[in-house]
Amino acid sequence: MREDKKTIIVFSNDMDKVMAAFVIATGAAAMGDEVTMFFTFWGLNVLRDAKKKVQGKSFLEKMFGAMMPKGVEKLPLSKMNFLGIGPKLMKYMMKKKNVMMLPEMIKQAQELGIKMVACSMSMDVMGIKKEELIDGVEIGGVATYLGEASEAGVNLFI
């Protein structure tokens, strides 16, 4: 076990929870720790690139994809979502208080060398293709996560 290694499972696609995950991850990486973020189920929506279009999806995969937020700009809040007004208010307050927005947090995480892994099984179940993910994301299964987690001093589930 290494005290300088951290893993974070990102299960949620709630904006506030995803922000917490990236704040912790980038903070740890800035302190010199090795960080792996494993995105599974709803957390995969964080990694979807809103600009990318993917061909060859089945009808059910297309429907599933249409019902989920595509990218960080579309994420709901876990509380006080108010039909989408809540995230707009949160972003307004963040900007006013000079708090980094999620797209910038993701870019910073990549620059800090944080490993972002998309769960292959969840991708299959939810009809998400590698081609629709942001650049720099690795694909891995539960064994990938468990291999990282078994060496880490801190493992978080968000």
Side-chain angles (χ1 to χ4, degrees):
M1 188 176 324
R2 293 180 26 210
E3 290 302 316
D4 67 336
K5 186 168 184 169
K6 316 287 189 265
T7 68
I8 302 172
I9 294 177
V10 183
F11 178 81
S12 176
N13 69 349
D14 292 329
M15 183 180 125
D16 45 324
K17 293 176 183 179
V18 173
M19 284 181 55
F22 275 98
V23 167
I24 294 167
T26 56
M31 292 172 54
D33 291 349
E34 181 183 327
V35 180
T36 298
M37 299 178 80
F38 187 78
F39 296 81
T40 189
F41 289 100
W42 309 117
L44 288 170
N45 292 313
V46 175
L47 303 177
R48 294 175 72 206
D49 188 327
K51 297 176 285 243
K52 292 184 180 178
K53 305 287 185 223
V54 178
Q55 303 296 320
K57 285 190 170 190
S58 71
F59 175 75
L60 287 176
E61 289 172 333
K62 288 178 188 174
M63 293 306 295
F64 215 92
M67 292 186 287
M68 296 185 298
K70 190 171 184 181
V72 294
E73 296 297 335
K74 306 279 187 193
L75 301 181
L77 285 177
S78 62
K79 306 281 188 240
M80 301 187 319
N81 193 53
F82 301 128
L83 301 171
I85 295 170
K88 288 178 177 50
L89 293 171
M90 178 73 85
K91 290 175 189 174
Y92 172 78
M93 291 302 294
M94 289 169 63
K95 186 174 182 180
K96 191 172 178 166
K97 302 289 184 177
N98 294 317
V99 174
M100 193 179 291
M101 300 289 183
L102 265 173
E104 290 80 29
M105 285 185 188
I106 292 171
K107 183 178 179 194
Q108 183 183 51
Q110 290 173 322
E111 290 169 354
L112 287 168
I114 292 173
K115 185 191 302 187
M116 289 187 264
V117 181
C119 176
S120 56
M121 187 271 311
S122 295
M123 287 176 67
D124 287 342
V125 169
M126 299 174 82
I128 296 174
K129 307 291 184 200
K130 180 174 176 46
E131 298 77 29
E132 67 186 291
L133 300 180
I134 60 174
D135 295 332
V137 174
E138 298 177 25
I139 309 297
V142 69
T144 302
Y145 171 72
L146 291 173
E148 297 283 338
S150 68
E151 300 173 359
V154 173
N155 298 292
L156 302 175
F157 185 94
I158 300 176

mmCIF file of all heavy atoms in Angstrom, residues 4 54 100:
data_model
loop_
_atom_site.group_PDB
_atom_site.id
_atom_site.type_symbol
_atom_site.label_atom_id
_atom_site.label_comp_id
_atom_site.label_asym_id
_atom_site.label_seq_id
_atom_site.Cartn_x
_atom_site.Cartn_y
_atom_site.Cartn_z
ATOM 1 N N ASP A 4 0.976 7.632 -1.092
ATOM 2 C CA ASP A 4 0.972 8.674 -2.119
ATOM 3 C C ASP A 4 0.150 8.279 -3.345
ATOM 4 O O ASP A 4 0.283 8.871 -4.406
ATOM 5 C CB ASP A 4 2.405 9.015 -2.537
ATOM 6 C CG ASP A 4 3.103 7.876 -3.262
ATOM 7 O OD1 ASP A 4 2.704 6.705 -3.070
ATOM 8 O OD2 ASP A 4 4.052 8.162 -4.012
ATOM 9 N N VAL A 54 -21.509 9.631 -32.801
ATOM 10 C CA VAL A 54 -21.081 8.245 -32.992
ATOM 11 C C VAL A 54 -22.102 7.521 -33.852
ATOM 12 O O VAL A 54 -23.314 7.619 -33.627
ATOM 13 C CB VAL A 54 -20.923 7.534 -31.623
ATOM 14 C CG1 VAL A 54 -20.537 6.088 -31.808
ATOM 15 C CG2 VAL A 54 -19.892 8.250 -30.781
ATOM 16 N N MET A 100 -13.058 27.497 -10.281
ATOM 17 C CA MET A 100 -12.840 26.828 -11.558
ATOM 18 C C MET A 100 -14.068 25.995 -11.953
ATOM 19 O O MET A 100 -14.629 25.280 -11.123
ATOM 20 C CB MET A 100 -11.603 25.931 -11.449
ATOM 21 C CG MET A 100 -11.078 25.422 -12.761
ATOM 22 S SD MET A 100 -9.599 24.399 -12.553
ATOM 23 C CE MET A 100 -8.402 25.605 -12.036
#
